Amino acid sequence: MSLMAKKLQQMRFASVLEAVTLLLLFVVAIPLKYAFDLPVATKIMGPIHGLAFLFYLWNLLRTVSLWSGLELFRLLILAFIPFGGFFNEKYIAQRQATL
């Protein structure tokens, strides 16, 4: 496996990790905070998602040479949308298959 293919594999992992932590934040932690008065849920899940997002951004920067400006914009914007990271993972997998 080439170095770039390994970087794309890690980026796929980062994309899924970011998507899962964002969903956990929105679907579990925020409802627990407001419905059951448990702010500790967001105090725990918020930083975990923040680290996952930074990990995703770091991987995006490591592979920036593979993407056009429009593709970079797409990969960044979808990271802010629930389930968007899963679409990004599929897109990255397609790019990985072409290498």
Side-chain angles (χ1 to χ4, degrees), residues 11-42:
M11 187 168 174
R12 288 176 63 193
F13 172 75
S15 183
V16 170
L17 181 66
E18 188 277 330
V20 168
T21 59
L22 181 61
L23 285 174
L24 286 173
L25 184 63
F26 282 168
V27 175
V28 177
I30 291 174
L32 284 174
K33 178 180 179 176
Y34 292 107
F36 299 103
D37 197 28
L38 291 170
V40 70
T42 55

Side-chain angles (χ1 to χ4, degrees), residues 32-86:
L32 284 174
K33 178 180 179 176
Y34 292 107
F36 299 103
D37 197 28
L38 291 170
V40 70
T42 55
K43 288 182 181 179
I44 293 170
M45 199 63 230
I48 292 171
H49 171 66
L51 286 173
F53 183 73
L54 290 175
F55 181 63
Y56 175 77
L57 289 179
W58 178 70
N59 280 285
L60 188 58
L61 289 174
R62 289 177 62 211
T63 60
V64 73
S65 63
L66 293 176
W67 315 109
S68 69
L70 188 58
E71 289 172 318
L72 281 172
F73 182 74
R74 175 199 187 277
L75 289 166
L76 183 61
I77 291 301
L78 281 178
F80 288 94
I81 300 169
F83 299 103
F86 298 113

